[in-house]
Each structure stands twice: as C-alpha cells, then as structure tokens.
C-alpha cells in the first residue's frame, strides 16, 4: 500500500532531551516535507527536501534539523526540545514539485508531541 | 506577507444540504491552489488541485472554483453527508524561488443528521 509513515505517533518528552521523529514513504517520491499544526495557525512548513541531500528551510525552521540521506526517509530532529515545540507534526511527500500543479502531496498520519 | 484566508471559520449544516467554503489569497506569484480535507487527528487528504489556468475542478460531490484575477477560490459540497464533517484547508503553492506551500487555517464543517 502506498503510504507515508511516521513514528512515533505520540510522544511526551521533557525539555532538552533530543528526539527524532521518523518519516518514510514507499512511493519513490522526490519531494518530502515536514509541517507543524497548531490551533488557529494552520499547517506551517518546517523544512522540505526536493531530493536526496537537498534540504531547505520552510517558514518555521528554528529548533529543528532534518536530513535526507535516502530517498524514502526524511527524519525530523529536535536537538533540544522546548515547550513551544509542543504540536502536531505531519510529514508529507509528493512525486515532484515542478510547478505544473498536478502533483498530489500525501500526508502521514501525524505525530503528536508534548514537551514538558 | 503571503496569506491564505478562509471563511467561515466553522459551519454547521444538516445532512443533505449544500454548502460553499471560501478561500482568498494574496500569494504571488501563484502556481496552483489545492483543497484538502482533514479529519480530526489525521493527515490532510487532497481533494482538488487547480493551476492558474483552470477555473473549476470536481471530485465527486466536491467542486472547487478558482478566479485567479480576484484571487478567490471556493469549495462547494453537494448533498452533504455525515462523513463530510472535517476541516477543509485551502493551500496555495508559490514557485517563487523556493517551492513553498502556504496553508489557510481551514474551515471546520460539521454535518448533522
């Protein structure tokens, strides 16, 4: 089944304890992205990657790191989590981002993170 | 600042009724506009994608329209069903140098029996 998977789905941690949220897609997609969703703010892009070893900042990259060593995986790393990073996180992928407008972005199921 | 604004914030309708959700954007340049459906606690699912040259796109009971001149889009839901209860998110893609998606905050729709 074509899908985007995220792990863990739920995580409660404490301030300063490094964590990684994994994201994997099995559709051979070029483009992958991370978003956070907060009440009243909608989804905001954290980082995205247009191909292996190519990553770029989205709108809210502070406090996050990413890597794209393999096409299928795009982990999100919080080196020193803080309470303001408590949020619902989504990973997404799409075949490419050519600007032609026909590519669908597929989202993972989400990871609910609480930082105490 | 690029923005995507949606209205209403929330909407309650009776099953079987039609409804229309609005999206106004100021993003420029503009590549395409998408509507997503997001069930509570789940990832968004794509409903329609329209480029600047398209002015309507349908997906079953969902019909999206786009007026690139006035920078307005609408999502019309026909003969609503209980399963339509969800948030509907308008997203604009801008190809200006970096490929970014700009999300609206969504319209929360509740369909009552």
């Amino acid at each position: 089944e074509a899908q985007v998977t995220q792990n863990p789905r739920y995580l409660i941690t404490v301030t300063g304890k490094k964590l990684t949220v994994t994201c994997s897609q099995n559709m051979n997609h070029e483009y992958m992205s991370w978003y956070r969703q907060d009440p009243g703010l909608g989804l905001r892009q954290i980082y995205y990657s247009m191909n292996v070893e190519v990553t770029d900042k989205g709108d809210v990259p502070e406090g996050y790191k990413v890597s794209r060593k393999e096409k299928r995986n795009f982990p999100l790393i919080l080196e020193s989590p803080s309470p303001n990073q408590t949020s619902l996180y989504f990973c997404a992928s799409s075949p490419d981002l050519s600007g032609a407008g026909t590519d669908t972005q597929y989202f993972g199921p989400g990871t609910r993170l609480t930082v105490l | 600042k690029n923005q995507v604004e949606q209205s209403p914030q929330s909407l309650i309708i009776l099953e079987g009724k039609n409804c229309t959700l609005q999206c106004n954007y100021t993003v420029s340049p503009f590549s395409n506009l998408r509507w997503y459906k997001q069930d509570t606690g789940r990832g968004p699912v794509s409903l329609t994608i329209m480029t600047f040259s398209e002015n309507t796109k349908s997906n079953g009971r969902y019909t999206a329209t786009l007026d690139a001149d006035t920078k307005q889009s609408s999502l019309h839901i026909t003969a609503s069903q209980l399963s339509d209860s969800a948030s509907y998110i308008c997203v604009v893609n801008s190809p200006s140098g970096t490929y970014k998606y700009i999300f609206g905050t969504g319209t929360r729709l509740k369909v009552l029996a």
Side-chain angles (χ1 to χ4, degrees):
Chain A
E1 178 189 354
Q3 60 183 345
V4 178
T5 57
Q6 294 179 227
N7 282 294
R9 293 290 314 280
Y10 302 91
L11 179 60
I12 300 174
T13 189
V14 296
T15 299
K17 187 176 182 181
K18 181 179 177 180
L19 66 92
T20 299
V21 183
T22 64
C23 172
S24 183
Q25 50 92 4
N26 62 1
M27 296 171 279
N28 201 36
H29 285 172
E30 303 284 342
Y31 181 91
M32 298 185 75
S33 182
W34 274 104
Y35 300 90
R36 61 177 289 173
Q37 186 174 34
D38 302 291
L41 294 179
L43 282 105
R44 292 178 292 168
Q45 194 169 35
I46 303 171
Y47 269 96
Y48 64 95
S49 169
M50 296 184 72
N51 211 328
V52 174
E53 302 292 1
V54 179
T55 63
D56 208 345
K57 296 177 181 179
D59 294 318
V60 288
E62 295 77 20
Y64 304 94
K65 285 175 58 177
V66 293
S67 68
R68 188 92 182 273
K69 293 183 169 55
E70 306 167 277
K71 198 172 189 178
R72 63 182 293 129
N73 297 322
F74 191 45
L76 179 69
I77 303 158
L78 284 73
E79 295 270 4
S80 183
S82 62
N84 64 12
Q85 293 178 298
T86 292
S87 188
L88 179 59
Y89 291 86
F90 289 100
C91 180
S93 73
S94 65
D96 72 279
L97 198 55
S98 64
T102 57
D103 57 306
T104 295
Q105 192 167 196
Y106 298 87
F107 284 81
T111 294
R112 187 168 292 281
L113 172 66
T114 301
V115 183
L116 302 175
Chain B
K1 180 176 171 64
N2 290 335
Q3 281 192 321
V4 177
E5 298 195 355
Q6 295 185 241
S7 62
Q9 265 191 321
S10 61
L11 182 62
I12 300 175
I13 62 173
L14 293 176
E15 187 179 16
K17 297 296 186 182
N18 303 335
C19 68
T20 300
L21 314 180
Q22 300 290 343
C23 175
N24 296 337
Y25 63 93
T26 59
V27 178
S28 184
F30 163 83
S31 176
N32 56 73
L33 185 145
R34 303 145 185 258
W35 283 93
Y36 285 88
K37 178 186 179 186
Q38 184 177 23
D39 294 314
T40 301
R42 306 190 72 160
V45 174
S46 180
L47 293 175
T48 62
I49 303 171
M50 291 181 290
T51 65
F52 64 88
S53 61
E54 297 175 293
N55 55 25
T56 188
K57 184 72 71 78
S58 291
N59 179 359
R61 295 180 296 103
Y62 301 100
T63 300
T65 64
L66 173 64
D67 185 333
D69 291 331
T70 62
K71 298 188 176 180
Q72 296 179 325
S73 177
S74 64
L75 180 69
H76 186 76
I77 305 174
T78 303
S80 61
Q81 300 176 359
L82 297 179
S83 59
D84 291 331
S85 295
S87 287
Y88 291 84
I89 303 172
C90 175
V91 186
V92 178
N93 173 235
S94 175
S96 56
T98 56
Y99 291 100
K100 289 187 177 180
Y101 291 95
I102 300 103
F103 288 73
T105 55
T107 292
R108 185 175 295 276
L109 174 67
K110 179 73 173 175
V111 180
L112 300 178

